[in-house]
DNA sequence: GCGATCCTGGCC
DNA sequence: GGCCAGGATCGC
């Protein structure tokens, strides 16, 4: 479900929880914990202080005062929702509960369980984070680095390249389609057929569309909400995503849908070459 | 590189 | 009932 702008919006909405204490941390029997045991995760975070909430790609990082970091991925259907008082009944598919000392309760809810909860105790020890390329919105990530990353995958189509988190982190299906539209590049074009100047367009377009997504609070297509239950309005600015058979939002061309890697791609063949 | 797969739910 | 969904991994 959520991509970089949605995760960043969730992060910002939850920053007020920093410095509170996790009094009671609970996991459901189906909680999608990976690369460590549930009991270790519970032990590491129960009765600790939450000191920092940060983000890497589409992962949220909860660091406590014991230098342990909970690495949260929301998959397709995951949500982190804050409540002042514990809701009754607890929502279906709640897989983690953080009861805080001062500020209420935070729930991790994930019906499809494509998300993951994992642990990081020191630099470069988390398999998920280790696989990630640079964040698109990192100030030090520059064009030359992006081009170098792209050239390692000459046979990939550009859409596939965009979704590859080891090239660069943060893009998902919505913003990949949007970035390719803004760069006027076909999602089917091979990296090896793409000039440096075109990759530059893709890089700049990607950074811009992610920035806009953050400014608009993310894309609430059906059920995305930030940590406080607020919707984002980026949906109203999407040019091609989910517009099969319609004109692009700006009215410049007509959108078709194709399938790549078992996922839908929306694009405008007249404008994207 | 690609298609299938993990899962639940909503919509036609 | 079938198809589709803001993701990522694992096989041929």
């Amino acid at each position: 479900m959520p991509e970089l702008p949605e995760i960043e919006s969730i992060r910002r909405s939850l920053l007020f929880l920093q410095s509170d204490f996790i009094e009671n941390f609970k996991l459901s029997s189906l909680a999608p914990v990976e690369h460590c045991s549930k009991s270790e995760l519970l032990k590491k975070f129960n009765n600790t202080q939450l000191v920092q909430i940060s983000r890497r790609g589409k992962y949220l990082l909860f660091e406590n005062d014991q230098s342990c970091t909970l690495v949260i991925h929301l998959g397709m259907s995951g949500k982190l929702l804050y409540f002042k008082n514990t809701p009754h009944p607890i929502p279906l598919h709640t897989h983690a509960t953080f009861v805080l000392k001062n500020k209420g309760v935070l729930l991790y809810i994930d019906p499809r369980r494509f998300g993951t909860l994992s642990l990081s105790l020191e630099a470069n020890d988390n398999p998920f984070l280790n696989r990630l390329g640079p964040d698109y919105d990192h100030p030090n990530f520059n064009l030359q680095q992006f081009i170098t990353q792209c050239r390692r995958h000459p046979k990939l189509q550009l859409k596939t390249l965009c979704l590859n988190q080891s090239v660069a982190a943060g893009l998902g299906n919505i913003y990949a389609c949007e970035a390719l539209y803004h760069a006027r590049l076909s999602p089917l074009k091979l990296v090896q057929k793409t000039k440096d100047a075109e990759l530059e367009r893709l890089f700049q377009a990607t950074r811009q569309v992610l920035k806009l997504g953050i400014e608009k609070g993310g894309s609430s297509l059906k059920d995305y909400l930030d940590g406080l239950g607020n919707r984002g309005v980026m949906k109203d600015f999407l040019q091609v995503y989910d517009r099969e058979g319609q004109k692009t939002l700006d009215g410049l061309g007509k959108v078709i849908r194709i399938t790549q890697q078992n996922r839908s791609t929306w694009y405008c063949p007249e404008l994207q070459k």
Side-chain angles (χ1 to χ4, degrees):
Chain A
M1 165 206 244
E3 310 178 30
L4 187 152
E6 288 75 36
I7 301 300
E8 179 61 19
S9 299
I10 292 170
R11 186 187 75 83
R12 293 179 183 186
S13 71
L14 296 177
L15 281 179
F16 75 104
L17 299 179
Q18 283 180 166
S19 86
D20 207 342
F21 294 83
I22 302 170
E23 257 189 359
N24 192 359
F25 176 35
K26 291 178 281 193
L27 293 168
S28 78
S29 58
L30 291 175
V33 176
E34 302 219 2
H35 301 301
C36 72
S37 68
K38 278 183 206 166
S39 56
E40 183 181 14
L41 205 60
L42 289 169
K43 199 169 87 184
K44 289 277 196 286
F45 289 92
N46 234 318
N47 294 304
T48 63
Q49 186 179 23
L50 183 58
V51 294
Q52 191 168 38
I53 301 179
S54 53
R55 179 184 57 76
R56 178 81 172 85
K58 303 177 195 173
Y59 293 83
L60 272 169
L61 310 177
F62 284 12
E63 186 185 348
N64 70 13
D65 59 347
Q66 310 295 307
S67 295
C68 300
T69 301
L70 179 63
V71 179
I72 302 174
H73 195 286
L74 298 181
M76 289 280 253
S77 57
K79 283 193 186 72
L80 275 171
L81 276 183
Y82 168 80
F83 297 86
K84 196 146 182 59
N85 297 297
T86 307
H88 292 288
I90 290 278
L92 203 58
H93 308 298
T94 297
H95 294 300
T97 305
F98 305 83
V99 180
L100 302 168
K101 184 178 177 190
N102 302 313
K103 296 212 179 83
V105 57
L106 184 66
L107 303 183
Y108 170 80
I109 305 163
D110 186 2
R112 295 174 76 181
R113 281 180 284 122
F114 287 179
T116 55
L117 299 171
S118 62
L119 182 61
S120 175
L121 301 178
E122 53 187 295
N124 305 322
D125 72 340
N126 183 287
F128 295 119
L129 300 182
N130 282 347
R131 285 195 266 267
L132 297 181
D135 271 60
Y136 275 106
D137 66 337
H138 194 287
N140 295 342
F141 185 32
N142 63 37
L143 176 64
Q144 276 321 306
Q145 293 171 23
F146 178 67
I147 290 176
T148 302
Q149 292 285 75
C150 293
R151 294 296 174 212
R152 294 168 55 196
H153 304 274
K155 305 275 189 207
L156 289 184
Q157 296 177 339
L158 291 182
K159 170 71 180 318
T160 310
L161 177 87
C162 287
L163 294 181
N164 186 323
Q165 303 299 302
S166 75
V167 170
L171 267 193
N173 214 27
I174 299 179
Y175 297 92
C177 293
E178 294 297 308
L180 287 163
Y181 175 73
H182 288 288
R184 296 296 192 264
L185 289 167
S186 167
L188 297 167
K189 194 178 181 82
L190 295 178
V191 173
Q192 63 189 358
K193 297 261 197 179
T194 308
K195 301 185 178 85
D196 280 5
E198 294 171 325
L199 290 178
E200 176 171 11
R201 294 210 311 264
L202 181 57
F203 183 61
Q204 304 303 353
T206 301
R207 302 231 294 184
Q208 264 178 30
V209 77
L210 290 175
K211 181 165 175 263
L212 184 65
I214 293 170
E215 284 168 13
K216 300 300 174 189
S219 302
S220 295
L221 303 181
K222 38 186 300 209
D223 57 5
Y224 160 75
L225 301 170
D226 74 12
L228 300 180
N230 297 311
R231 298 170 59 85
V233 298
M234 182 61 191
K235 183 181 194 291
D236 301 334
F237 297 84
L238 299 177
Q239 295 291 341
V240 292
Y241 186 87
D242 201 22
R243 298 180 70 89
E244 182 179 15
Q246 304 175 53
K247 287 195 152 183
T248 53
L249 181 67
D250 57 25
L252 296 179
K254 197 169 175 187
V255 178
I256 66 164
R257 181 172 76 95
I258 60 171
T259 299
Q260 293 175 281
Q261 314 235 152
N262 266 0
R263 316 217 29 209
S264 291
T265 298
W266 290 268
Y267 81 113
C268 173
E270 313 130 76
L271 296 175
Q272 297 176 246
K273 300 293 183 188

